[in-house]
Amino acid sequence: MKRIFTPLISFALDRSIPLNDRLSARMVIASAFASFFGMIVCILAHTHIAAVCITGFLTLYIPTCYVVLLSRKKIKFLVNMMLVGLLVLMPPLWIFGGGLHSGMTIWIIYELVLFTVSLSGKTQTVGQVVSIATLVECILLEEIKGISYPLPSPTHVIISVLGSVIVAGGIIVYMTNYQKTLYAGEFELVEKKNEELIVYAERAEKANKSQKVFLANMSHEIRSPMNVVLGFNHLICESNDVAEIHDFAKNIESAGESLLVIVNDILDYSKIETGKMNLYTAPYSFGELVQMCCSSIEIICKQKNLEFSCDVDPSIPKVVYGDKMRLRQCITNLLTNSFKYTDEGSVHLKFTNVGLSEDKESIMLGISVKDTGRGISEEQKKELFTRFQRLDESTNRAIEGTGLGLALTKSFVDMMGGTIECISEEHKGSEFIITIPQRIVSDRDAAAQND
């Protein structure tokens, strides 16, 4: 019995299955129990042995047939089999169960109600017609043909009627409540899905707006260095002063580098979106990485009179294995970001040895970029690593950039198997912390190895 009812119950509770099919499954369970208790009522009411056999057969036939057809996903055929089975078996059950002067009428009404509750569409209509036709057929057999096996006494009639009312009524109440609960659950699920769709729609609208702002920023960010390049190039063409031409060329170089950063960000974003971004890992000197990162930010910090400092944990191996250029890009993005949003104070870069891996072949490298800048609110933190998103456009309109830096950094860190987090309070500065694994190659400097 367990093998029969377990898949039935699982099927009835599976929300991936259509609602009507789940109702049908629960109807089968209810009908099987109704047949079982109906068999007990037949025994207590001293009906003909044939009525006991028919109810006993239905107790096993209905769920067994259901499980067999369920495994083949033939739900409609199953319902038709049940209709045919009831049409064939109800007349003899009526005759041997006591006929009109017993609880048999209640069972046909039960059948009619159950089909109405658990079926829908054409199948429901057919079920109702079958139930009514069965009742008419049974009454005609008893009243016109005189075919009946009455119960032995009025007491047994009462037992049959009361037992049928209790069992059939209980099953009908159960199925009605189950249907209400099922529909309520589906309604809650629909409400939840609607709420999720509203959130997704708001996010999509916000993302669309962010992309429009991004495109507007790009047109400005690209136009500015291009105007510088073209303007100074025009001045070079008209000037004969070598020193002046040299200054113009320096300005062109600076504008060209700014333009290159923007183009690289866009290309990197495009590669990540299309899944074509690859890491290029190789052994590299950790000291060179630190030097490259520091030299790039020291100059621009002096332009704003910001103090810059760098601390390196001496226990970090001299030569490690990883993608040096992507790691440098991540660090540079964080340093540049700190520089942009810090008007006074300092920017501090720190490298720490977080710990060795279990096999002691890799180091967890900790990288911290801390500033005394404007800080980030809790609301802004939620969208900190979102593409095309910049912090508070209304107050940071003068800040240059594509809005892709932090998003690209997060993508690169994820690709390298690391993590990134932000610790910040508004008006109290920010700290970005990257933790990333790098394989240990040597604790000796690359130059020392060549000696």
PDB file of all heavy atoms in Angstrom, residues 303-321:
ATOM      1  N   GLN A 303      48.635  65.830  -7.007  1.00  0.00           N
ATOM      2  CA  GLN A 303      47.867  66.875  -7.684  1.00  0.00           C
ATOM      3  C   GLN A 303      46.747  67.416  -6.796  1.00  0.00           C
ATOM      4  O   GLN A 303      46.337  68.565  -6.936  1.00  0.00           O
ATOM      5  CB  GLN A 303      47.285  66.332  -8.996  1.00  0.00           C
ATOM      6  CG  GLN A 303      48.333  65.959 -10.034  1.00  0.00           C
ATOM      7  CD  GLN A 303      47.722  65.263 -11.245  1.00  0.00           C
ATOM      8  OE1 GLN A 303      46.510  65.047 -11.312  1.00  0.00           O
ATOM      9  NE2 GLN A 303      48.577  64.915 -12.216  1.00  0.00           N
ATOM     10  N   LYS A 304      46.232  66.573  -5.905  1.00  0.00           N
ATOM     11  CA  LYS A 304      45.162  66.999  -4.990  1.00  0.00           C
ATOM     12  C   LYS A 304      45.681  67.201  -3.567  1.00  0.00           C
ATOM     13  O   LYS A 304      44.878  67.347  -2.642  1.00  0.00           O
ATOM     14  CB  LYS A 304      44.041  65.958  -4.987  1.00  0.00           C
ATOM     15  CG  LYS A 304      43.246  65.896  -6.276  1.00  0.00           C
ATOM     16  CD  LYS A 304      42.133  64.859  -6.210  1.00  0.00           C
ATOM     17  CE  LYS A 304      41.006  65.273  -5.297  1.00  0.00           C
ATOM     18  NZ  LYS A 304      39.849  64.345  -5.378  1.00  0.00           N
ATOM     19  N   ASN A 305      46.996  67.163  -3.393  1.00  0.00           N
ATOM     20  CA  ASN A 305      47.610  67.309  -2.065  1.00  0.00           C
ATOM     21  C   ASN A 305      47.114  66.240  -1.101  1.00  0.00           C
ATOM     22  O   ASN A 305      46.870  66.500   0.079  1.00  0.00           O
ATOM     23  CB  ASN A 305      47.339  68.711  -1.493  1.00  0.00           C
ATOM     24  CG  ASN A 305      48.032  69.795  -2.281  1.00  0.00           C
ATOM     25  OD1 ASN A 305      49.171  69.626  -2.731  1.00  0.00           O
ATOM     26  ND2 ASN A 305      47.337  70.909  -2.494  1.00  0.00           N
ATOM     27  N   LEU A 306      46.970  65.030  -1.602  1.00  0.00           N
ATOM     28  CA  LEU A 306      46.576  63.905  -0.753  1.00  0.00           C
ATOM     29  C   LEU A 306      47.821  63.131  -0.337  1.00  0.00           C
ATOM     30  O   LEU A 306      48.759  62.968  -1.124  1.00  0.00           O
ATOM     31  CB  LEU A 306      45.625  62.970  -1.504  1.00  0.00           C
ATOM     32  CG  LEU A 306      44.278  63.547  -1.956  1.00  0.00           C
ATOM     33  CD1 LEU A 306      43.511  62.505  -2.760  1.00  0.00           C
ATOM     34  CD2 LEU A 306      43.445  64.012  -0.768  1.00  0.00           C
ATOM     35  N   GLU A 307      47.783  62.653   0.887  1.00  0.00           N
ATOM     36  CA  GLU A 307      48.890  61.831   1.371  1.00  0.00           C
ATOM     37  C   GLU A 307      48.673  60.385   0.933  1.00  0.00           C
ATOM     38  O   GLU A 307      47.590  59.826   1.115  1.00  0.00           O
ATOM     39  CB  GLU A 307      48.959  61.908   2.897  1.00  0.00           C
ATOM     40  CG  GLU A 307      50.097  61.101   3.507  1.00  0.00           C
ATOM     41  CD  GLU A 307      50.075  61.115   5.016  1.00  0.00           C
ATOM     42  OE1 GLU A 307      49.391  61.986   5.595  1.00  0.00           O
ATOM     43  OE2 GLU A 307      50.726  60.236   5.626  1.00  0.00           O
ATOM     44  N   PHE A 308      49.709  59.795   0.359  1.00  0.00           N
ATOM     45  CA  PHE A 308      49.607  58.391  -0.061  1.00  0.00           C
ATOM     46  C   PHE A 308      50.660  57.564   0.667  1.00  0.00           C
ATOM     47  O   PHE A 308      51.820  57.983   0.799  1.00  0.00           O
ATOM     48  CB  PHE A 308      49.816  58.252  -1.569  1.00  0.00           C
ATOM     49  CG  PHE A 308      49.865  56.824  -2.033  1.00  0.00           C
ATOM     50  CD1 PHE A 308      48.703  56.067  -2.096  1.00  0.00           C
ATOM     51  CD2 PHE A 308      51.074  56.223  -2.372  1.00  0.00           C
ATOM     52  CE1 PHE A 308      48.740  54.742  -2.511  1.00  0.00           C
ATOM     53  CE2 PHE A 308      51.128  54.898  -2.783  1.00  0.00           C
ATOM     54  CZ  PHE A 308      49.946  54.157  -2.850  1.00  0.00           C
ATOM     55  N   SER A 309      50.242  56.389   1.157  1.00  0.00           N
ATOM     56  CA  SER A 309      51.172  55.487   1.846  1.00  0.00           C
ATOM     57  C   SER A 309      50.882  54.052   1.445  1.00  0.00           C
ATOM     58  O   SER A 309      49.759  53.722   1.034  1.00  0.00           O
ATOM     59  CB  SER A 309      51.051  55.640   3.369  1.00  0.00           C
ATOM     60  OG  SER A 309      49.722  55.350   3.794  1.00  0.00           O
ATOM     61  N   CYS A 310      51.898  53.206   1.569  1.00  0.00           N
ATOM     62  CA  CYS A 310      51.763  51.793   1.191  1.00  0.00           C
ATOM     63  C   CYS A 310      52.515  50.921   2.194  1.00  0.00           C
ATOM     64  O   CYS A 310      53.680  51.196   2.504  1.00  0.00           O
ATOM     65  CB  CYS A 310      52.299  51.573  -0.212  1.00  0.00           C
ATOM     66  SG  CYS A 310      52.244  49.845  -0.755  1.00  0.00           S
ATOM     67  N   ASP A 311      51.848  49.906   2.709  1.00  0.00           N
ATOM     68  CA  ASP A 311      52.457  48.942   3.630  1.00  0.00           C
ATOM     69  C   ASP A 311      52.426  47.558   2.986  1.00  0.00           C
ATOM     70  O   ASP A 311      51.387  47.147   2.438  1.00  0.00           O
ATOM     71  CB  ASP A 311      51.701  48.883   4.966  1.00  0.00           C
ATOM     72  CG  ASP A 311      51.936  50.141   5.793  1.00  0.00           C
ATOM     73  OD1 ASP A 311      52.979  50.779   5.584  1.00  0.00           O
ATOM     74  OD2 ASP A 311      51.074  50.477   6.630  1.00  0.00           O
ATOM     75  N   VAL A 312      53.555  46.838   3.093  1.00  0.00           N
ATOM     76  CA  VAL A 312      53.635  45.498   2.535  1.00  0.00           C
ATOM     77  C   VAL A 312      54.091  44.530   3.619  1.00  0.00           C
ATOM     78  O   VAL A 312      55.117  44.751   4.272  1.00  0.00           O
ATOM     79  CB  VAL A 312      54.621  45.440   1.346  1.00  0.00           C
ATOM     80  CG1 VAL A 312      54.681  44.019   0.779  1.00  0.00           C
ATOM     81  CG2 VAL A 312      54.216  46.435   0.260  1.00  0.00           C
ATOM     82  N   ASP A 313      53.306  43.470   3.818  1.00  0.00           N
ATOM     83  CA  ASP A 313      53.669  42.427   4.786  1.00  0.00           C
ATOM     84  C   ASP A 313      54.933  41.706   4.290  1.00  0.00           C
ATOM     85  O   ASP A 313      54.930  41.145   3.186  1.00  0.00           O
ATOM     86  CB  ASP A 313      52.493  41.452   4.917  1.00  0.00           C
ATOM     87  CG  ASP A 313      52.680  40.446   6.050  1.00  0.00           C
ATOM     88  OD1 ASP A 313      53.840  40.198   6.434  1.00  0.00           O
ATOM     89  OD2 ASP A 313      51.666  39.909   6.539  1.00  0.00           O
ATOM     90  N   PRO A 314      56.015  41.717   5.096  1.00  0.00           N
ATOM     91  CA  PRO A 314      57.266  41.076   4.638  1.00  0.00           C
ATOM     92  C   PRO A 314      57.172  39.567   4.469  1.00  0.00           C
ATOM     93  O   PRO A 314      58.032  38.961   3.827  1.00  0.00           O
ATOM     94  CB  PRO A 314      58.262  41.439   5.749  1.00  0.00           C
ATOM     95  CG  PRO A 314      57.427  41.747   6.943  1.00  0.00           C
ATOM     96  CD  PRO A 314      56.155  42.346   6.418  1.00  0.00           C
ATOM     97  N   SER A 315      56.123  38.937   5.035  1.00  0.00           N
ATOM     98  CA  SER A 315      55.996  37.482   4.912  1.00  0.00           C
ATOM     99  C   SER A 315      55.397  37.047   3.574  1.00  0.00           C
ATOM    100  O   SER A 315      55.303  35.854   3.286  1.00  0.00           O
ATOM    101  CB  SER A 315      55.132  36.933   6.054  1.00  0.00           C
ATOM    102  OG  SER A 315      53.788  37.378   5.928  1.00  0.00           O
ATOM    103  N   ILE A 316      54.974  38.015   2.738  1.00  0.00           N
ATOM    104  CA  ILE A 316      54.435  37.670   1.411  1.00  0.00           C
ATOM    105  C   ILE A 316      55.585  37.206   0.522  1.00  0.00           C
ATOM    106  O   ILE A 316      56.619  37.877   0.437  1.00  0.00           O
ATOM    107  CB  ILE A 316      53.732  38.887   0.776  1.00  0.00           C
ATOM    108  CG1 ILE A 316      52.537  39.316   1.626  1.00  0.00           C
ATOM    109  CG2 ILE A 316      53.262  38.557  -0.652  1.00  0.00           C
ATOM    110  CD1 ILE A 316      51.859  40.589   1.140  1.00  0.00           C
ATOM    111  N   PRO A 317      55.446  36.052  -0.146  1.00  0.00           N
ATOM    112  CA  PRO A 317      56.521  35.537  -1.019  1.00  0.00           C
ATOM    113  C   PRO A 317      56.917  36.539  -2.095  1.00  0.00           C
ATOM    114  O   PRO A 317      56.087  37.317  -2.573  1.00  0.00           O
ATOM    115  CB  PRO A 317      55.903  34.277  -1.622  1.00  0.00           C
ATOM    116  CG  PRO A 317      54.851  33.870  -0.658  1.00  0.00           C
ATOM    117  CD  PRO A 317      54.300  35.141  -0.079  1.00  0.00           C
ATOM    118  N   LYS A 318      58.182  36.484  -2.480  1.00  0.00           N
ATOM    119  CA  LYS A 318      58.705  37.429  -3.476  1.00  0.00           C
ATOM    120  C   LYS A 318      58.177  37.147  -4.880  1.00  0.00           C
ATOM    121  O   LYS A 318      57.948  38.060  -5.663  1.00  0.00           O
ATOM    122  CB  LYS A 318      60.242  37.366  -3.488  1.00  0.00           C
ATOM    123  CG  LYS A 318      60.895  37.748  -2.169  1.00  0.00           C
ATOM    124  CD  LYS A 318      60.645  39.197  -1.847  1.00  0.00           C
ATOM    125  CE  LYS A 318      61.463  39.648  -0.633  1.00  0.00           C
ATOM    126  NZ  LYS A 318      61.057  38.954   0.607  1.00  0.00           N
ATOM    127  N   VAL A 319      57.999  35.867  -5.192  1.00  0.00           N
ATOM    128  CA  VAL A 319      57.506  35.497  -6.526  1.00  0.00           C
ATOM    129  C   VAL A 319      56.252  34.633  -6.355  1.00  0.00           C
ATOM    130  O   VAL A 319      56.281  33.629  -5.635  1.00  0.00           O
ATOM    131  CB  VAL A 319      58.562  34.722  -7.339  1.00  0.00           C
ATOM    132  CG1 VAL A 319      58.019  34.373  -8.722  1.00  0.00           C
ATOM    133  CG2 VAL A 319      59.843  35.529  -7.453  1.00  0.00           C
ATOM    134  N   VAL A 320      55.173  35.040  -6.988  1.00  0.00           N
ATOM    135  CA  VAL A 320      53.910  34.298  -6.903  1.00  0.00           C
ATOM    136  C   VAL A 320      53.385  34.043  -8.315  1.00  0.00           C
ATOM    137  O   VAL A 320      53.901  34.592  -9.297  1.00  0.00           O
ATOM    138  CB  VAL A 320      52.857  35.058  -6.060  1.00  0.00           C
ATOM    139  CG1 VAL A 320      53.246  35.082  -4.603  1.00  0.00           C
ATOM    140  CG2 VAL A 320      52.659  36.468  -6.599  1.00  0.00           C
ATOM    141  N   TYR A 321      52.328  33.230  -8.384  1.00  0.00           N
ATOM    142  CA  TYR A 321      51.775  32.819  -9.682  1.00  0.00           C
ATOM    143  C   TYR A 321      50.324  33.293  -9.766  1.00  0.00           C
ATOM    144  O   TYR A 321      49.493  32.969  -8.919  1.00  0.00           O
ATOM    145  CB  TYR A 321      51.837  31.303  -9.807  1.00  0.00           C
ATOM    146  CG  TYR A 321      51.446  30.761 -11.167  1.00  0.00           C
ATOM    147  CD1 TYR A 321      52.396  30.571 -12.160  1.00  0.00           C
ATOM    148  CD2 TYR A 321      50.129  30.432 -11.452  1.00  0.00           C
ATOM    149  CE1 TYR A 321      52.048  30.066 -13.409  1.00  0.00           C
ATOM    150  CE2 TYR A 321      49.758  29.917 -12.690  1.00  0.00           C
ATOM    151  CZ  TYR A 321      50.727  29.742 -13.664  1.00  0.00           C
ATOM    152  OH  TYR A 321      50.382  29.245 -14.891  1.00  0.00           O
TER     153      TYR A 321
END
